[in-house]
Amino acid sequence: IPIVSALAFLIIGGYAAIFILPPILDRYMFSRIKPENHGAVGLGLMFLILFGMMPATYYAKSSFLMGAFISGLVFCRNHDVHVRFVTQFKRLLQWLMRIFFAASIGFQVPIKDFGNGIVIGYGLLFTVALLGKLAVGFLVPNFSNTDKFRGLHLRDCLVTGFSMAAEGEFAFVIAVFAVDQKLISPDLYASIVLAVLLSTIIPPFALRFTISYYNNLAQKMLRQAEDMERKRAHSISDAEERTPEEIEADLRVRISFYIHSVFLCTHFIE
């Protein structure tokens, strides 16, 4: 039974991958290898486990993605393997994702159906529903000294919300599967794809604008602080250069000016 097999691999395999296999590997394998080779050896072992787990999960009527997940879970706390994987496969994964997206999903975007008013209407309605992910950003705790939902906290909320809203690639996969299995109509599929496209394209620009705005604001505040500090240092240096008689004379002039100002204001009010 697929659901039973998937749960068995997830619970039993996940427990073994987190609590059983890592201590065994650290004790009997990584302890006998030079530290600079931990990343390469761990990466190779991860692929060996992957080649065994993917067929096992597939023939057990579970998903082969479960096998890939469990294989990576074994080394999820191994920093050397993580660094080696990122450095070796970052560019490769970027190109593979582009090819996968274009070949499997990009070609299935029903552009011709986007001229249908019903498709556009439902698409905009679904887009409003997807904006609910933006509200997740306002659950971010306030780690700054500013008031809640103001200043730096508002920045953190917007950055998190726009980042969450931009994550819609997997929805394409679900929509393609649903229309292939005739679970939804072609018009509904076009509406879903339109909504996912809008929620995938617009939030990154909003995220970039938010980050740019608060960076410019921080630079402006920094320049103001520098000007204030420069003026303070200049006033201190001027005070040190002047004699006590000059300082007293300047103080008398300022006091006289303020006295006349107060008198004029009082006279005007009367």
Side-chain angles (χ1 to χ4, degrees), residues 104-212:
S104 62
I105 298 174
F107 293 154
Q108 300 191 39
V109 175
I111 299 178
K112 295 181 179 180
D113 295 337
F114 290 165
N116 189 339
I118 297 177
V119 171
I120 296 176
Y122 278 108
L124 294 177
L125 186 62
F126 291 151
T127 303
V128 174
L130 290 174
L131 290 179
K133 292 191 290 186
L134 181 62
V136 177
F138 291 89
L139 299 178
V140 174
N142 187 7
F143 297 106
S144 62
N145 294 325
T146 59
D147 294 334
K148 200 170 184 179
F149 304 127
R150 294 179 180 272
L152 296 178
H153 183 233
L154 180 61
R155 179 204 62 183
D156 296 340
C157 293
L158 293 176
V159 168
T160 304
F162 287 134
S163 300
M164 290 293 297
E167 299 293 333
E169 295 86 352
F170 192 69
F172 281 110
V173 180
I174 302 299
V176 171
F177 174 79
V179 74
D180 288 340
Q181 298 295 322
K182 301 187 184 304
L183 299 176
I184 59 177
S185 64
D187 288 343
L188 184 58
Y189 166 74
S191 300
I192 294 174
V193 172
L194 178 61
V196 175
L197 281 175
L198 292 176
S199 66
T200 305
I201 295 174
I202 297 177
F205 290 100
L207 177 63
R208 177 178 295 182
F209 172 79
T210 302
I211 295 175
S212 176

Side-chain angles (χ1 to χ4, degrees), residues 63 69 71 89 120 137 147 155 161 174 184 191 197 205 208 228 231 234 241 263 266-267:
S63 173
F69 172 74
S71 302
F89 292 93
I120 296 176
D147 294 334
R155 179 204 62 183
I174 302 299
I184 59 177
S191 300
L197 281 175
F205 290 100
R208 177 178 295 182
M228 293 177 60
K231 292 178 180 179
H234 183 69
E241 293 175 358
F263 173 75
T266 306
H267 182 71

Side-chain angles (χ1 to χ4, degrees), residues 10-114:
L10 181 62
I11 297 174
I12 300 176
Y15 180 85
I18 295 177
F19 299 105
I20 298 178
L21 290 179
I24 295 176
L25 294 177
D26 291 338
R27 182 175 181 180
Y28 295 103
M29 190 182 73
F30 289 115
S31 61
R32 302 179 182 180
I33 302 174
K34 295 181 179 180
E36 57 270 19
N37 296 328
H38 283 185
V41 174
L43 190 62
L45 182 60
M46 183 181 70
F47 277 102
L48 289 178
I49 298 175
L50 176 66
F51 294 148
M53 288 298 299
M54 289 183 69
T57 51
Y58 176 77
Y59 288 111
K61 302 300 181 181
S62 181
S63 173
F64 55 87
L65 294 177
M66 180 68 70
F69 172 74
I70 295 175
S71 302
L73 196 63
V74 176
F75 301 93
C76 65
R77 292 182 290 183
N78 192 314
H79 181 69
D80 296 326
V81 176
H82 169 74
V83 172
R84 181 57 64 94
F85 181 84
V86 171
T87 55
Q88 295 295 330
F89 292 93
K90 184 177 181 179
R91 295 181 180 178
L92 179 61
L93 286 176
Q94 289 178 348
W95 280 103
L96 287 177
M97 287 300 296
R98 293 171 183 172
I99 296 173
F100 168 78
F101 183 84
S104 62
I105 298 174
F107 293 154
Q108 300 191 39
V109 175
I111 299 178
K112 295 181 179 180
D113 295 337
F114 290 165

